[in-house]
Amino acid sequence: MNINWFPGHMFKTQKEIKNIINLVDIVIEIRDARAIISTTNPDIENLTKGKPKIIILSKIDLADSKVTQDWIKFYEDNGIHCIDVDIIKSKNIKKINDKISFIMKDKLEKYKSKGVKNYTLRGMILGIPNVGKSSLINKISNNNIAKVGNRPGVTKSKQWIKTKWGIDLLDTPGILWPKFDSEKVGLNLSYIGSIKDEILDTEELSYKLLEFLTLNYKSNLESTYKIEFSMDVLENLDSIGRKLGCLKKGSQIDYSRLSKIILGDFRSGKIGNISLETPKDLIEEVN
């Protein structure tokens, strides 16, 4: 799947980040816990170089908890500040503020020694589309200020927002990079909904997703669809189609309809808690 997608607002956001990064005290980068490697934008690393940073793993309610903890340990072992959060249930949200206070302690003490007692920290929230940036801002601002939607491209422009923590946060549109050289990255971003379905072949996408799930989460599939699965992906796809009644005239499988159901079941968590990548994948990629 050769995906080349870089809307104009993303290019504009990159320019704005370059212009404003010196005004920011700390960067909060959000990554989807289901696909941490794929939701790591290499451009963000370059744009924010030299700034203190916290990595937030969002959507942990949809990810494999064991794999998420492996990622937390991996980051801690490498001296990287990382917190896993469930934004909807407010799990670990307060830990973000505690971590910011810890990281910025010296800077705040410095201002205090100069007589500035109530210095307002400025943070920038960054991430690719649909990882939960605006949802997090709304949670810590106690107000639905930032627009939220379960699809990419909802936030179109940057906006400063005051929070209950005494830190101003800059919400930015999701930034993808111009071209995905890795097919796996493109697929994973498509699975989790960071790329609009309208530009994708959803039938091929659902087949590839089912291929991954059959190999790694077969018991989840069997529990969800109440079918005994084989290692034959097409056979499994047809079995799901017949089970769900996704049929055309002549009892032919309606793959277009079926593909949307499978993708929806994965994205909503109906198939269970699933992680598409592990720290081992990153180590193998580097080596």
Side-chain angles (χ1 to χ4, degrees):
M1 296 185 70
N2 184 18
I3 302 168
N4 192 336
W5 186 61
F6 198 59
H9 75 266
M10 293 190 182
F11 178 72
K12 179 184 176 184
T13 300
Q14 283 201 356
K15 289 183 66 176
E16 290 177 339
I17 290 172
K18 287 180 183 178
N19 293 333
I20 206 168
I21 191 65
N22 290 331
L23 301 176
V24 172
D25 297 300
I26 190 166
V27 172
I28 301 168
E29 183 184 351
I30 303 184
R31 301 174 184 174
D32 190 309
R34 295 169 295 176
I36 293 170
I37 300 170
S38 296
T39 54
T40 302
N41 184 342
D43 289 345
I44 288 178
E45 193 67 35
N46 294 328
L47 290 167
T48 62
K49 186 172 286 187
K51 288 290 178 181
K53 181 163 72 173
I54 301 173
I55 293 173
I56 304 297
L57 304 184
S58 67
K59 306 194 179 184
I60 59 172
D61 56 311
L62 299 174
D64 186 324
S65 59
K66 183 184 181 304
V67 176
T68 299
Q69 290 311 305
D70 288 342
W71 276 109
I72 293 291
K73 185 178 185 303
F74 172 82
Y75 281 126
E76 287 178 350
D77 290 346
N78 286 275
I80 298 170
H81 300 291
C82 180
I83 300 171
D84 56 325
V85 304
D86 182 339
I87 298 172
I88 296 173
K89 295 181 179 178
S90 298
K91 181 180 178 181
N92 292 344
I93 296 292
K94 187 179 181 298
K95 285 187 177 181
I96 301 173
N97 186 36
D98 295 339
K99 185 68 75 173
I100 291 173
S101 298
F102 172 76
I103 295 171
M104 304 307 300
K105 181 180 178 182
D106 290 344
K107 184 165 188 173
L108 291 172
E109 287 293 332
K110 183 179 178 181
Y111 276 106
K112 192 174 181 180
S113 68
K114 293 181 178 180
V116 182
K117 295 181 180 180
N118 296 310
Y119 178 76
T120 300
L121 290 171
R122 283 190 156 192
M124 179 184 288
I125 290 197
L126 294 171
I128 71 164
N130 204 33
V131 291
K133 298 181 302 299
S134 297
S135 294
L136 177 61
I137 282 184
N138 286 337
K139 183 67 69 172
I140 61 182
S141 68
N142 265 346
N143 202 344
N144 291 326
I145 299 172
K147 291 182 179 179
V148 178
N150 190 26
R151 65 188 191 281
V154 175
T155 303
K156 296 294 186 183
S157 61
K158 69 180 190 303
Q159 53 180 331
W160 283 103
I161 297 170
K162 292 186 178 297
T163 72
K164 57 187 177 184
W165 293 342
I167 177 173
D168 290 350
L169 291 178
L170 181 64
D171 185 21
T172 58
I175 310 173
L176 285 170
W177 47 115
K179 186 177 181 181
F180 310 120
D181 295 322
S182 165
E183 180 188 41
K184 185 177 180 181
V185 168
L187 286 170
N188 287 344
L189 291 177
S190 302
Y191 297 153
I192 64 175
S194 289
I195 299 173
K196 293 180 178 179
D197 286 342
E198 289 83 353
I199 68 167
L200 302 169
D201 182 340
T202 56
E203 291 183 28
E204 180 184 359
L205 198 61
S206 64
Y207 179 90
K208 292 280 190 179
L209 175 59
L210 194 62
E211 185 176 44
F212 172 85
L213 296 175
T214 298
L215 186 62
N216 297 280
Y217 290 94
K218 189 155 74 78
S219 62
N220 289 53
L221 291 171
E222 292 176 336
S223 176
T224 301
Y225 297 112
K226 312 302 179 188
I227 304 170
E228 186 175 337
F229 281 74
S230 69
M231 295 309 293
D232 186 314
V233 181
L234 185 56
E235 182 181 293
N236 294 340
L237 194 66
D238 289 350
S239 294
I240 297 172
R242 285 191 290 271
K243 179 75 174 185
L244 299 181
C246 292
L247 303 172
K248 298 179 180 178
K249 289 183 178 179
S251 297
Q252 295 295 310
I253 303 294
D254 186 341
Y255 291 110
S256 176
R257 181 181 161 206
L258 179 58
S259 65
K260 291 179 175 64
I261 291 175
I262 291 173
L263 288 171
D265 287 349
F266 167 75
R267 291 169 182 168
S268 68
K270 184 176 179 179
I271 302 177
N273 297 78
I274 292 165
S275 292
L276 301 168
E277 300 162 337
T278 69
K280 184 180 177 182
D281 296 324
L282 181 60
I283 294 168
E284 290 176 352
E285 183 180 295
V286 172
N287 293 334

